[in-house]
Amino acid sequence: MTIKMALPGYEFHVNDAEYFFEPCSGGIYPLSELLRKIMVHGESDDTEAIIDRLSSEYDSHIVRDSVQLLYEEGALSRQEGKDQEPSSQDRGATEIYLQVSHKCNLRCAYCYADGGHFGGPAAMMDESTARRAVDFLFDRAAQSDTCSLNFDGGEPFLNFSLVRRMVDYATNSAKNHNRTLLLNISSNGTLLTEKKVRYLKEHRVSLGLSIDGDRAAHDTARLTVDGKGSYGLLISAINQSKLFDYRPYTQALGTITTQTLNCLSAIKHIIDLGFKIIYFEPVGRQNKSCALDTRQLDELERQFSAIADFYAEELIAGNPLILRNFFRPLEKIHSRSKFGFRCSAGVRTFAVSPNGDIFPCYKFVGMADYIMGNVNEGTLDHAIIQRFSNNHVTYKKRCGQCWARYLCGGGCPYLGALSHGDIEAIDDIDCRFNKFLCQQSLEIYIRLSRENPEFLEKILGPRR
């Protein structure tokens, strides 16, 4: 029987050793000359032919065992065909974003939400629409027993009274539907108070705060309505609200622009403030003055190479810091999971604007071509769901042969729509940067597995 080698993998080295990451099995193998030769002959030869070819150089039992191991793990395939087919059916919902406020008290230069109102009139969601949005989530809940409700904007703390009512309503709905509910709120942080933070902790609402680094970095783009920097307001609110005394689940969300490329310094500053969970992403191309090009991307990769070294040392030392740019790929590497989508936007994740319009995710809000229906009218366009469901990495010509496809997920559909007018398109900056993060994550994983395997299992679970 002919054995076909799985699609191309990635060779890399850590210190004195070489490794090979094979995407279909998700396995990382020590790279030897024997493995190289098996990969070459595995394209067309069966097991016995490979043994015959290599018997003059290697013991036949070693060759046979190596081929069998690669086959059992999925690195070698005995049949043609795609290694993972997406499901074409509507798969329900697991997550929804409530745009409770299309107003904001800041005017960030790079804001994809156009000052919080997404190109339309400023608006606040009413309770009736919010209830119907929550009902939409639970009525369409997927087989998973966990649902997520996210409060977003604009600035959601401008409509905090509605947030509180929806926390109660959604919590009761989750009990009635026998579901576990995860609650999240994203904010610029300037309106935090001790009372609000205490409420978030008591009701187990996780908090994501936008912060781009120290005062100089943050105030470059995150401005008040009168054009002043907002860093002082944020830090004052963090201190007065006693955010890290109560320690709710809190993460820092940073945006990278052409003027804020010193990301290592920014991350260290944010850690010093008390954050333990951090995620940074380049600004989208909606603001050409802030968006990165390939020249800035060279510097960004240098920065994240240094951040990867820093992060590896932190993990090896047993510091439970979560830098999500690397932690997400580390989870996938460790679990050997295949992810055919960057996220579940438009398939299991939806966003609802103040007037009830449904969108694939919070970044699509305001893009008329992507209105999927309206919770107040009870409508839903299943054709758009199908478009997103079909946007699987195995269907993308550019991704199909890429070793990082199941770690990356094939690109962000919003960035594809933004840069090329098509959710199936690949944004070049996004593609290159995320592949780089996957490369760095593989090296972090090897270092941690060699230097502190106990901590690796503590933060990522038992090895497969």
Side-chain angles (χ1 to χ4, degrees):
M1 181 178 291
T2 298
I3 294 178
K4 181 176 176 59
M5 188 63 201
L7 293 176
Y10 172 63
E11 298 180 20
F12 64 103
H13 69 274
V14 178
N15 297 330
D16 57 345
E18 291 185 286
Y19 298 89
F20 177 78
F21 172 74
E22 198 292 305
C24 290
S25 66
I28 303 175
Y29 307 96
L31 186 58
S32 64
E33 283 305 310
L34 173 58
L35 179 60
R36 289 181 189 274
K37 291 175 180 179
I38 290 174
M39 288 192 294
V40 171
H41 297 305
E43 253 326 299
S44 57
D45 293 346
D46 61 22
T47 303
E48 297 305 321
I50 294 174
I51 293 173
D52 289 342
R53 285 178 182 270
L54 300 177
S55 61
S56 63
E57 300 176 71
Y58 303 95
D59 183 281
S60 61
H61 296 292
I62 295 176
V63 178
R64 186 185 301 277
D65 290 345
S66 297
V67 171
Q68 184 64 24
L69 173 64
L70 292 171
Y71 167 65
E72 290 175 354
E73 294 202 350
L76 292 172
S77 173
R78 293 186 186 272
Q79 57 185 355
E80 299 289 338
K82 291 180 178 177
D83 37 27
Q84 185 186 23
E85 288 286 353
S87 170
S88 61
Q89 64 183 358
D90 182 354
R91 288 175 283 176
T94 57
E95 183 173 35
I96 197 165
Y97 286 80
L98 288 191
Q99 301 263 304
V100 296
S101 169
H102 272 195
K103 294 180 181 180
C104 188
N105 61 323
L106 297 185
R107 293 296 180 270
C108 302
Y110 51 64
C111 182
Y112 66 86
D114 193 20
H117 52 78
F118 292 84
M124 293 288 190
M125 181 177 283
D126 60 36
E127 185 168 352
S128 175
T129 300
R131 283 174 174 263
R132 290 192 176 99
V134 172
D135 293 343
F136 171 86
L137 171 63
F138 288 108
D139 290 346
R140 291 183 46 79
Q143 292 300 314
S144 169
D145 66 353
T146 300
C147 292
S148 295
L149 176 61
N150 305 283
F151 300 101
D152 198 35
E155 174 47 56
F157 278 105
L158 290 173
N159 200 1
F160 192 59
S161 60
L162 178 64
V163 170
R164 292 171 62 111
R165 294 195 296 276
M166 287 307 101
V167 166
D168 291 339
Y169 184 71
T171 299
N172 289 330
S173 295
K175 291 179 181 178
N176 293 335
H177 288 82
N178 195 28
R179 303 282 176 171
T180 299
L181 178 65
L182 302 179
L183 296 164
N184 312 276
I185 187 167
S186 299
S187 172
N188 62 42
T190 60
L191 301 179
L192 288 178
T193 64
E194 185 178 358
K195 183 178 180 180
K196 291 174 183 174
V197 167
R198 191 185 309 116
Y199 175 87
L200 297 181
K201 181 177 181 181
E202 289 172 352
H203 291 81
R204 303 179 67 85
V205 183
S206 66
L207 173 64
L209 292 183
S210 297
I211 177 169
D212 292 347
D214 62 14
R215 183 183 295 273
H218 189 85
D219 286 350
T220 298
R222 302 195 65 80
L223 307 175
T224 62
V225 175
D226 58 2
K228 297 179 180 179
S230 63
Y231 180 85
L233 292 175
L234 173 60
I235 299 303
S236 176
I238 287 175
N239 292 334
Q240 291 180 21
S241 66
K242 299 181 181 179
L243 178 63
F244 295 110
D245 290 342
Y246 290 105
R247 287 198 175 277
Y249 174 69
T250 305
Q251 63 178 315
L253 307 172
T255 300
I256 307 164
T257 72
T258 55
Q259 297 176 290
T260 56
L261 288 170
N262 193 355
C263 299
L264 177 58
S265 174
I267 285 174
K268 287 183 176 180
H269 178 79
I270 290 170
I271 292 171
D272 289 341
L273 290 176
F275 291 92
K276 296 293 186 182
I277 306 168
I278 302 170
Y279 179 68
F280 266 57
E281 66 176 352
V283 67
R285 298 198 183 188
Q286 72 275 12
N287 192 316
K288 294 181 179 179
S289 64
C290 296
L292 279 62
D293 59 25
T294 54
R295 292 170 298 175
Q296 283 92 33
L297 192 54
D298 290 340
E299 173 57 27
L300 184 62
E301 288 181 351
R302 284 191 287 270
Q303 286 285 320
F304 270 83
S305 178
I307 293 168
D309 289 338
F310 164 77
Y311 190 40
E313 294 294 337
E314 291 293 307
L315 293 180
I316 290 167
N319 182 359
L321 176 67
I322 296 178
L323 297 185
R324 284 175 48 207
N325 298 86
F326 300 116
F327 197 80
R328 282 179 172 177
L330 287 172
E331 289 180 309
K332 296 174 185 178
I333 292 165
H334 189 69
S335 65
R336 298 175 70 155
S337 301
K338 293 181 179 181
F339 287 79
F341 301 91
R342 174 69 63 82
C343 65
S344 59
V347 180
R348 291 185 174 179
T349 297
F350 304 91
V352 179
S353 67
N355 70 350
D357 283 341
I358 305 168
F359 293 87
C361 87
Y362 61 94
K363 287 191 175 181
F364 279 97
V365 172
M367 298 176 70
D369 291 343
Y370 295 94
I371 296 176
M372 306 178 71
N374 189 285
V375 295
N376 291 315
E377 299 169 4
T379 56
L380 187 64
D381 188 339
H382 290 268
I384 297 181
I385 293 178
Q386 191 66 55
R387 283 178 60 194
F388 279 83
S389 182
N390 289 341
N391 190 30
H392 191 277
V393 68
T394 59
Y395 288 162
K396 296 187 175 186
K397 292 181 180 179
R398 182 166 166 179
C399 301
Q401 299 290 323
C402 178
W403 65 266
R405 62 193 180 279
Y406 292 131
L407 298 179
C408 163
C412 171
Y414 167 75
L415 292 177
L418 193 65
S419 57
H420 299 288
D422 184 356
I423 64 170
E424 298 180 9
I426 302 296
D427 179 89
D428 291 337
I429 298 295
D430 177 60
C431 174
R432 179 177 151 183
F433 182 53
N434 276 280
K435 185 183 290 187
F436 178 81
L437 293 177
C438 292
Q439 293 170 336
Q440 296 296 308
S441 297
L442 284 166
E443 295 182 21
I444 293 172
Y445 187 83
I446 291 296
R447 289 190 60 188
L448 186 56
S449 64
R450 288 170 59 173
E451 300 181 49
N452 195 344
E454 295 82 7
F455 189 67
L456 182 146
E457 294 198 13
K458 180 179 179 180
I459 61 173
L460 296 176
R463 297 191 195 198
R464 285 186 52 181

